[in-house]
Amino acid sequence: MDDHNLKADISARYKPFLDRVLNHHRDKLHSIYLVGSVLTQDYDPKISDINSVMVLHKMDLKFLELLAPLGKKYGKKGVAAPLIMTPRYIHESLDVFPIEFLNIKLCHQAVFGEDVFRDVNIENSDLRRQCERELKVKLIGLRQGYISAAGDKNILARGFIDTIAGYMPLFKGIIFLLGQMVPRNHSEILSALEEASGVSTQAFKWVLKCKRQKTRPPIEQLNTVFEDYYKAIEKLGEIADALEV
């Protein structure tokens, strides 16, 4: 495991799991990767999971059966269950999950084997289509979440705070479509999105601040955030719809 670019905490928590898998199942594995927040400044050892992808030479359900019992032990150390794929699955799924594979491509580190994600090709037309669809889904979720909160500021605040990280892969996809360099860290992603699209991301930045500081703002502010969220997502949807790729 080449851990010279990893924080000591991450290496210490993940390496025993990696060694256990490689010592017993190396012949089944094509490659293994760390992905997501563990490679960014947003990683917080108190709350962040260590996410990874394991690529098998071919799908092997017995491998999953052998891997499953490790979840309880290493899950307590913040090691999330890895995504399991094969090279064939990746090749045949790029058009179905372009946002997800773009995010892996942009933010991954191979810790074993050949890097299959480095050169994957994401078609802009597939990416635009999924971005537009996900933006429409976000609008539905915002409406339903706001109604379901029934004016309870704690429920509303938790809804914003718990879901803010889930917007970032989508925002990175939009930045990519607009031809700009895609940052890794959340605050920089929001700044890049605003610069590339002209859409204000101040509401999202405010939610990130609340998440870091563990604050629960008054309902009046949350109502304003809801409106700003909705207008921003609506405008981004219009931009995605109008893109010619």
Side-chain angles (χ1 to χ4, degrees):
M1 179 175 177
D2 181 9
D3 58 1
H4 68 280
N5 290 323
L6 294 177
K7 295 179 182 178
D9 169 77
I10 299 170
S11 180
R13 291 162 65 191
Y14 189 74
K15 194 172 186 301
F17 174 68
L18 176 66
D19 289 344
R20 176 76 178 270
V21 173
L22 289 179
N23 287 341
H24 294 84
H25 313 295
R26 182 183 296 260
D27 61 320
K28 301 179 185 296
L29 287 155
H30 172 281
S31 46
I32 303 176
Y33 311 82
L34 290 175
V35 297
S37 66
V38 293
L39 305 176
T40 75
Q41 295 175 6
D42 298 306
Y43 173 76
D44 183 344
K46 295 180 181 178
I47 60 174
S48 299
D49 287 332
I50 298 176
N51 294 296
S52 60
V53 177
M54 293 187 176
V55 179
L56 304 178
H57 292 292
K58 62 180 181 179
M59 188 52 62
D60 185 340
L61 298 183
K62 288 297 182 182
F63 174 79
L64 303 186
E65 293 176 13
L66 294 169
L67 189 66
L70 303 181
K72 186 174 182 179
K73 176 181 179 180
Y74 292 100
K76 293 178 180 178
K77 299 180 180 181
V79 178
L83 293 175
I84 306 296
M85 306 179 187
T86 65
R88 179 179 178 180
Y89 175 87
I90 294 168
H91 176 72
E92 294 178 348
S93 301
L94 294 175
D95 60 335
V96 181
F97 304 113
I99 290 177
E100 290 79 4
F101 282 112
L102 174 66
N103 275 266
I104 293 175
K105 178 178 181 177
L106 292 173
C107 191
H108 73 276
Q109 179 173 325
V111 294
F112 170 77
E114 177 187 355
D115 189 345
V116 72
F117 291 114
R118 180 180 54 207
D119 299 321
V120 295
N121 181 44
I122 308 295
E123 294 290 343
N124 281 0
S125 58
D126 296 327
L127 182 61
R128 189 213 64 79
R129 192 177 302 110
Q130 189 184 8
C131 283
E132 182 183 2
R133 182 171 63 249
E134 292 296 323
L135 288 163
K136 292 181 185 298
V137 170
K138 293 295 186 189
L139 287 177
I140 294 173
L142 282 170
R143 293 194 295 263
Q144 295 304 111
Y146 186 76
I147 293 171
S148 298
D152 187 312
K153 70 175 184 178
N154 292 323
I155 295 176
L156 196 56
R158 189 166 62 248
F160 286 127
I161 290 170
D162 290 349
T163 61
I164 183 64
Y167 280 85
M168 298 303 161
L170 172 58
F171 290 165
K172 288 163 74 175
I174 297 170
I175 295 168
F176 184 85
L177 283 173
L178 293 173
Q180 302 301 311
M181 292 292 293
V182 183
R184 286 188 170 190
N185 305 309
H186 289 172
S187 59
E188 294 172 359
I189 291 168
L190 293 176
S191 294
L193 178 66
E194 184 166 333
E195 181 177 351
S197 68
V199 175
S200 174
T201 59
Q202 291 306 305
F204 300 98
K205 291 178 179 179
W206 183 81
V207 171
L208 273 182
K209 182 178 178 181
C210 289
K211 182 177 182 178
R212 295 191 189 104
Q213 297 179 351
K214 296 180 172 59
T215 57
R216 289 293 185 270
I219 189 65
E220 293 78 14
Q221 283 183 293
L222 291 167
N223 287 335
T224 299
V225 168
F226 166 73
E227 294 176 7
D228 291 344
Y229 253 57
Y230 197 91
K231 291 175 183 177
I233 296 301
E234 196 170 43
K235 182 60 178 176
L236 289 170
E238 294 171 0
I239 292 173
D241 183 56
L243 280 174
E244 297 182 2
V245 295

